Amino acid sequence: MKKKVAFVCVHNSCRSQMAEGWAKKLGSDVLEVYSAGTENYHEVKPLAVEVMEEAGVDMSSHRPKLLSDIPEEVDYLITMGCNVVCPYVPCKHSEDWGLEDPSGGPIEGYRMTRGLIKEKVEGLIKRVKNNEI
């Protein structure tokens, strides 16, 4: 039985989208993956899509989603570090990854964030497989 994980930030346009992409690519055997934002946004950041494609993760079909677009309850809720209070989402475990938003900066910032998110997603997958969370 796969565990439901939701990656949430304000706009669902960059970090949470990258996390969704990595989790689907690396953990689809144990995770049912979602991402969402707390506010509407018109697109996934093009540089986020570009750097993920560099790493072999296709996000061309990704679009920003709202919390109302994902399941009402998940096993794991991961927030990105947006410094805002997230609306309550019922879950068994939650954590904040405290990631800086590279939006508006150079592509190198997106690449650095991509690497940090990959490491965190790999750690999450390992903890799920080992029943540590």
Side-chain angles (χ1 to χ4, degrees):
M1 180 93 172
K2 292 184 182 184
K3 300 292 186 180
K4 292 179 186 173
V5 61
F7 299 99
V8 177
C9 64
V10 176
H11 291 133
N12 188 223
S13 64
C14 186
R15 294 165 292 172
S16 55
Q17 290 282 349
M18 288 182 179
E20 177 185 355
W22 278 126
K24 284 182 174 177
K25 182 171 182 77
L26 302 173
S28 62
D29 57 328
V30 293
L31 297 174
E32 186 177 318
V33 183
Y34 302 92
S35 73
T38 57
E39 296 178 9
N40 276 316
Y41 199 74
H42 63 282
E43 68 177 352
V44 176
K45 301 285 172 90
L47 287 178
V49 174
E50 182 178 333
V51 300
M52 291 299 284
E53 287 178 0
E54 289 174 358
V57 179
D58 180 13
M59 293 196 343
S60 61
S61 65
H62 284 216
R63 62 175 180 76
K65 298 167 291 298
L66 292 170
L67 288 172
S68 58
D69 297 322
I70 67 171
E72 288 182 18
E73 187 173 335
V74 296
D75 296 295
Y76 310 118
L77 175 70
I78 311 295
T79 53
M80 299 288 108
C82 308
N83 297 319
V84 296
V85 176
C86 188
Y88 177 70
V89 176
C91 60
K92 293 181 178 90
H93 174 82
S94 67
E95 59 190 52
D96 185 272
W97 284 358
L99 299 165
E100 287 193 35
D101 188 354
S103 298
I107 195 166
E108 292 79 18
Y110 285 83
R111 289 181 180 127
M112 187 177 80
T113 300
R114 173 191 68 198
L116 291 170
I117 291 172
K118 181 181 182 188
E119 289 175 15
K120 289 186 172 291
V121 167
E122 288 171 336
L124 175 68
I125 293 165
K126 183 179 177 184
R127 289 185 289 150
V128 170
K129 286 182 176 181
N130 292 336
N131 292 312
E132 294 172 9
I133 57 173

